[in-house]
Amino acid sequence: MIRGRQGESIEHKAKKQFGQNFLKDSAVLEKIIESMPKTKNKIVEIGPGLGDLTQKLLSQKDVIAFEIDRDLCAILKKKFEKEIEKKKLTLICEDALNHWKEKLIDEAYDLVANLPYYVATTIILRALKDPNCKNIVVMIQKEVAQKFAAKSGEREFSSLAVLAQSAGEAKILFDVGPESFEPKPKVTSAVLLIKKKRSLRDSMFEKFLKTAFKQPRKTLLKNLSAGYNKEILKNTFEKAGIEPTIRPHQATTSIYHRLYNFLEKRTIDGREKQSSAE
Ligand code: SAM
């Protein structure tokens, strides 16, 4: 049973199926607020839970929050009655992924959230594609944050890092131990910042990267040969000046853009383009 902060009479049994690990450490909550990019954008929070982060966010800006759990929604409606009335908080009691079409909301926003682990990667990938999402500050499992923030050459460099770097700049701001949550998760968390410069528009590029990183220990050439003719690949590597022995984590994001451009005759924003080395 989770109890509310002092003076609150909230009791709620955390639901595992919704990834409920509530952040109860006010120093961490403050650090998240300090990490937010200084923009005029609205704030979207996915999974306000018991509303501790929401409360801090509301001290900065108006918030639109999506909560899947009806029981938590009832608690939040009571807790933020005034803010909802004044339209400072818009609470949408729905699965954020069901609500999300191309855009999650109709105006520019920054996503700030302590995300449920089980859908964190899906949510971040949606946010990278959403043209209205401008920045992402999210607490997620540290291991996943590393996959998004790794640099080329590092062991963790993955298709997620290429996608994040294709949209902007990604970095891990700080780690958060299990003791900061209730109930305690089994893993360490980290706060990931992605400052977007553009939105990903081409879902084929994502598929291309899945093929490229399928077997991380094999060479990039070998992985790509599952989807492309080996001779064409060899020629492409040669023309683009890419070593045939390179492994997926050793190639840079711009190499991936170039290879994609050569092999699919498309740029990563979905435009048709005749191959040329950039
Ligand atoms: N923000 C709160 C905090 O920091 O303590 C709660 C974070 S908890 C890790 C994740 C929250 O996301 C839970 O409240 C959970 O019910 C909610 N949630 C899970 N899946 C969701 C979804 N698909 N759409 C919206 N909310 C979701």
Side-chain angles (χ1 to χ4, degrees):
M1 203 60 93
I2 311 289
R3 285 174 197 282
R5 285 164 177 271
Q6 276 182 337
E8 288 176 339
S9 55
I10 300 169
E11 282 201 3
H12 174 77
K13 191 171 182 316
K15 297 184 181 118
K16 260 193 184 165
Q17 78 269 29
F18 291 144
Q20 293 178 357
N21 299 98
F22 301 101
L23 184 54
K24 286 290 162 196
D25 186 329
S26 40
V28 175
L29 286 165
E30 282 301 335
K31 270 173 97 173
I32 294 176
I33 299 297
E34 283 160 21
S35 313
M36 281 165 44
K38 312 279 173 278
T39 69
K40 293 203 166 74
N41 303 329
K42 264 259 161 66
I43 296 175
V44 166
E45 185 187 11
I46 294 179
L50 292 167
D52 292 332
L53 178 60
T54 320
Q55 182 106 59
K56 301 260 180 208
L57 293 171
L58 283 166
S59 69
Q60 308 288 313
K61 282 180 183 186
D62 292 358
V63 176
I64 299 180
F66 292 85
E67 176 53 64
I68 197 172
D69 182 348
R70 301 253 146 209
D71 295 337
L72 285 176
C73 260
I75 292 172
L76 290 163
K77 277 184 186 157
K78 216 164 131 196
K79 177 170 176 163
F80 295 111
E81 202 181 338
K82 281 196 196 114
E83 291 83 352
I84 292 172
E85 208 181 284
K86 286 186 198 149
K87 302 205 179 340
K88 274 191 74 56
L89 173 64
T90 306
L91 181 62
I92 301 172
C93 297
E94 210 183 314
D95 180 335
L97 292 173
N98 278 348
H99 188 94
W100 216 326
K101 305 300 169 221
E102 189 202 356
K103 299 164 186 168
L104 181 56
I105 61 166
D106 287 332
E107 56 190 305
Y109 71 91
D110 295 334
L111 174 65
V112 185
N114 169 20
L115 291 178
Y117 292 150
Y118 77 106
V119 277
T121 302
T122 309
I123 288 174
I124 296 169
L125 290 177
R126 288 269 187 110
L128 290 177
K129 287 175 200 148
D130 183 341
N132 279 349
C133 178
K134 304 299 174 191
N135 296 289
I136 301 169
V137 180
V138 283
M139 168 111 71
I140 54 175
Q141 192 176 335
K142 182 178 177 183
E143 215 178 289
V144 180
Q146 284 169 327
K147 287 192 178 154
F148 276 103
K151 303 276 174 281
S152 161
E154 291 174 359
R155 197 170 41 93
E156 295 86 1
F157 192 67
S158 68
S159 58
L160 298 180
V162 177
L163 290 169
Q165 288 182 8
S166 300
E169 279 168 27
K171 67 172 170 181
I172 291 181
L173 298 179
F174 53 90
D175 294 351
V176 181
E179 63 289 347
S180 294
F181 300 88
E182 222 182 300
K184 286 183 196 156
K186 290 198 178 78
V187 295
T188 298
S189 305
V191 173
L192 172 75
L193 167 69
I194 304 180
K195 282 191 183 171
K196 281 178 68 183
K197 293 182 179 149
R198 63 194 76 81
S199 294
L200 302 178
R201 293 179 54 191
D202 187 0
S203 53
M204 265 186 57
F205 185 53
E206 216 174 307
K207 286 194 198 124
F208 168 78
L209 291 175
K210 276 206 181 115
T211 312
F213 280 91
K214 186 121 199 240
Q215 299 194 71
R217 296 213 181 120
K218 299 259 154 84
T219 64
L220 177 56
L221 191 72
K222 169 95 184 134
N223 282 345
L224 286 175
S225 64
Y228 300 92
N229 174 289
K230 209 153 182 193
E231 281 314 303
I232 295 180
L233 275 176
K234 277 188 181 156
N235 278 338
T236 305
F237 271 58
E238 207 177 295
K239 263 197 265 170
I242 303 163
E243 285 288 320
T245 54
I246 200 167
R247 294 185 193 270
H249 73 281
Q250 294 171 320
T252 61
T253 294
S254 77
I255 286 185
Y256 282 107
H257 291 180
R258 238 184 308 157
L259 275 177
Y260 184 66
N261 183 226
F262 270 117
L263 294 166
E264 291 292 340
K265 312 266 185 288
R266 292 154 73 92
T267 60
I268 63 147
D269 61 7
R271 279 179 295 130
E272 303 274 329
K273 190 178 168 185
Q274 286 309 307
S275 57
S276 67
E278 278 164 25

